[in-house]
Amino acid sequence: MRRLILPGWSVILALAVLFPLLGRGFVLSYDMVFAPEQSLSPDGVGAGSTPARSVPADAVVALLTWVLPGDVVQKCLLVTALVLGPWGAGRLVPSGVVGTRLVAATFYGWTPYVAERLFMGHWPYLLAYACLPWVAAAGLAVRRGEPKALTRLVLWVALGALTPTGGVLVGAVALAGAGWRRVVRVAPAVVLVNLPWVAPSVVRAGAVLSAPEAVWVFAAKGENWGGAVVAVLGLGGFWNADVVPASRELSLVPVLTVAVAGLAVVSFPRLGREWGWGLVGLGGVGLVAALFAHLPLGRGVLEWAVASVPGAALLRDAQKWVAWWALPLAVGVALTVEVVGRRLSRGRGAVLAVAVAVPVVAMPDLAWAGWGRLDVVQYPGDWGRVREVLSGDPRPGDVLSLPLGAFRRFEWNGYRTQLDPAPRMLPRTTVVDDTVYVSGVAVAGEDTRMPAVRRALERGDLGAAGIGWVLVEHGTPGALPDLSGLDEVFRGQWLTLYRVPGVVVVVAPENLGVAVAANVVGFGFLAGCLLWQWLPAGRLVFHRREE
């Protein structure tokens, strides 16, 4: 029964956030878009014209929706992310006191990082964040030389590495946990797991550049009088103010943040002895990386890097790296609270109980789906009918989604800002203008195909750019060009589908062979690790037949 307390508390924390969202339907918020059945597209395996930012996440979700409805897949992923994180952090505490483990679980699972990434729809980041303590535990087991520890490490890394950011987050924790003496064994395994997005990015690396203005637009921001530094120290500081919980603006938050960080630092020497200093040091790296644009010369260095160095666009939205700080922060606080409670002749349980309550009381607006910030909705029937038309028509060509722009605001989704669902809803490759506007600043997109599509749209020659269909989404802001030369195929309340007349050039996927090979190798390696982990002794035993 004692063993169930920590996982039970982790489930309670997750349900306190997600319970209103567990009915049938979809949670659509900013970058979080799921479809009833997602098609496996070239972009999903890294062979599209956009950077492999959602590889292999889109492919994994597409495969899962062949088995389960998309909304069920979404809820399973969200519950998994919000349960695994606090559970793993509690298990990682080098103490047998249950109350101490509950403190660590709460400080890890109820944070601004979780709230802001959930409201922003960054579910793969949440899943990677949830895997960090489990990856750290497996890495420490590799350091100790435990049997099957390396395969266990690979499996946890794979669960967190559904996007490039997730892969870097869990990969760094794996290396820090295992220690430099195990780098030769751990590093190749981490690379193989991340191969589905690494290989396509390397092959087309010259195109993976970003606009320099994106550095400051997506840099960490202050939430109150404490500024960006204190916000990041408390695992906050996300660049989009619209997803920051209102409680983060309270005047007492910076004082509480500094106090909590101070309590954690007190126990860092003990963590250094228990874990080695790699994981603690990585937490410091996360703080510096998250605030790098605020350091002297930091902004200029990052602007040069994202505009000149292939792949450096991954450094945008630098606040995400503060996830490395979350683990030593949560466990360090828990250990210090335990020491304080132990020195009190009475009231030890009360001290632990108050500590467990602090994160929740300080940020109550994460609860109940952010006090109604998120909700469950159904897609209008127009989407299913358009999908049927595109599935049943053999005419070649990809789909252009209009109005131009990456995000939508529909009445049927409560006018919430959400990513255009067309690329995941439709059975054909869908081209979307990925320019992002933040506080009036336009951050140029990274889809290498989009400039040619824009020119073709202006000329009225979409077929030459490989566009065979145009989807117009109604009820969302944005101007529409003249489409009088197109053939209307379907018109509904929310969607109109046009066919592009004339010859349509077929645009082949980019580096499809490399992308498929990388996915086959990566998933094949993962399957081998699963098999090896399940073998009774962790090895195959062959017997020679006697003559």
Side-chain angles (χ1 to χ4, degrees):
M1 189 66 180
R2 180 185 176 92
R3 294 181 179 179
L4 298 178
I5 295 176
L6 177 60
W9 177 244
S10 301
V11 171
I12 289 173
L13 287 176
L15 290 179
V17 178
L18 298 176
F19 187 79
L21 307 176
L22 296 184
R24 294 303 302 270
F26 295 87
V27 183
L28 306 176
S29 178
Y30 286 96
D31 291 355
M32 182 158 51
V33 172
F34 283 73
E37 181 181 344
Q38 183 168 322
S39 300
L40 186 61
S41 66
D43 284 307
V45 296
S49 57
T50 60
R53 293 194 180 281
S54 194
V55 175
D58 278 343
V60 170
V61 171
L63 295 175
L64 289 175
T65 58
W66 289 354
V67 181
L68 296 171
D71 58 334
V72 175
V73 171
Q74 180 186 36
K75 308 306 170 48
C76 289
L77 289 170
L78 290 176
V79 170
T80 299
L82 267 63
V83 170
L84 279 182
W87 185 5
R91 289 181 72 255
L92 200 58
V93 174
S95 169
V97 179
V98 174
T100 306
R101 297 192 168 193
L102 295 180
V103 173
T106 311
F107 270 89
Y108 192 81
W110 201 281
T111 68
Y113 192 93
V114 171
E116 292 161 2
R117 297 295 169 172
L118 174 62
F119 300 155
M120 190 66 193
H122 288 170
W123 68 265
Y125 290 17
L126 290 176
L127 193 57
Y129 179 85
C131 289
L132 295 185
W134 300 88
V135 171
L140 294 173
V142 170
R143 183 194 295 248
R144 294 189 295 266
E146 295 181 10
K148 296 188 178 182
L150 183 58
T151 52
R152 189 162 68 249
L153 176 64
V154 168
L155 296 177
W156 282 115
V157 167
L159 182 60
L162 294 184
T163 60
T165 292
V168 174
L169 285 172
V170 295
V173 170
L175 294 170
W180 67 270
R181 294 180 184 275
R182 300 291 191 274
V183 168
V184 175
R185 297 177 61 194
V186 173
V190 170
V191 171
L192 282 172
V193 170
N194 284 280
L195 203 60
W197 67 265
V198 169
S201 299
V202 169
V203 171
R204 63 184 298 276
V208 188
L209 300 175
S210 184
E213 58 268 20
V215 167
W216 191 248
V217 167
F218 296 128
K221 299 294 190 293
E223 300 164 338
N224 44 55
W225 62 267
V229 174
V230 175
V232 168
L233 192 66
L235 301 177
F238 191 57
W239 59 268
N240 187 352
D242 291 339
V243 302
V244 176
S247 58
R248 296 293 296 170
E249 300 177 4
L250 298 177
S251 299
L252 192 59
V253 167
V255 178
L256 182 61
T257 298
V258 173
V260 168
L263 290 175
V265 170
V266 169
S267 291
F268 280 3
R270 179 177 175 183
L271 288 181
R273 293 191 299 271
E274 297 283 351
W275 294 351
W277 284 96
L279 292 171
V280 178
L282 185 60
V285 171
L287 287 175
V288 173
L291 292 166
F292 196 76
H294 294 268
L295 299 178
L297 304 180
R299 178 177 175 180
V301 170
L302 286 177
E303 288 178 344
W304 169 83
V306 301
S308 306
V309 179
L314 189 61
L315 300 177
R316 297 187 341 177
D317 182 11
Q319 188 267 354
K320 61 194 173 188
W321 308 119
V322 80
W324 289 325
W325 166 244
L327 203 52
L329 178 68
V331 178
V333 167
L335 291 177
T336 302
V337 169
E338 180 187 67
V339 171
V340 171
R342 189 179 299 153
R343 291 182 178 179
L344 295 176
S345 57
R346 296 180 181 179
R348 174 181 173 182
V351 171
L352 292 173
V354 169
V356 168
V358 163
V360 180
V361 172
M363 193 178 62
D365 41 352
L366 169 58
W368 216 249
W371 287 354
R373 181 191 293 260
L374 302 178
D375 200 1
V376 175
V377 299
Q378 298 286 350
Y379 281 101
D382 287 4
W383 286 99
R385 288 189 280 275
V386 166
R387 182 182 175 89
E388 290 175 3
V389 171
L390 292 174
S391 298
D393 195 318
R395 180 179 173 84
D398 299 330
V399 181
L400 173 64
S401 179
L402 296 177
L404 293 177
F407 290 91
R408 305 289 192 238
R409 293 181 65 196
F410 297 112
E411 180 185 0
W412 53 264
N413 190 25
Y415 295 106
R416 295 177 182 86
T417 301
Q418 65 166 87
L419 204 63
D420 187 347
R424 290 174 173 83
M425 285 290 296
L426 304 183
R428 295 174 183 249
T429 296
T430 303
V431 181
V432 174
D433 180 8
D434 56 346
T435 302
V436 178
Y437 295 88
V438 182
S439 300
V441 178
V443 179
E446 298 168 337
D447 188 340
T448 56
R449 186 179 176 185
M450 195 60 214
V453 171
R454 277 200 204 92
R455 291 192 294 270
L457 183 62
E458 294 172 358
R459 296 193 309 264
D461 188 19
L462 286 170
I467 301 299
W469 307 83
V470 173
L471 178 71
V472 175
E473 302 176 30
H474 303 297
T476 186
L480 294 174
D482 179 18
L483 302 175
S484 58
L486 306 182
D487 300 329
E488 184 179 304
V489 177
F490 170 83
R491 176 175 288 275
Q493 178 182 0
W494 300 105
L495 299 175
T496 300
L497 181 65
Y498 297 90
R499 182 187 291 116
V500 176
V503 177
V504 176
V505 176
V506 177
V507 177
E510 299 182 11
N511 303 305
L512 182 60
V514 173
V516 171
N519 279 272
V520 169
V521 172
F523 283 100
F525 175 65
L526 180 60
C529 288
L530 277 169
L531 177 63
W532 190 263
Q533 187 70 16
W534 287 340
L535 288 174
R539 62 179 184 275
L540 290 171
V541 179
F542 298 94
H543 298 279
R544 186 180 65 180
R545 186 177 67 180
E546 298 293 337
E547 297 294 338

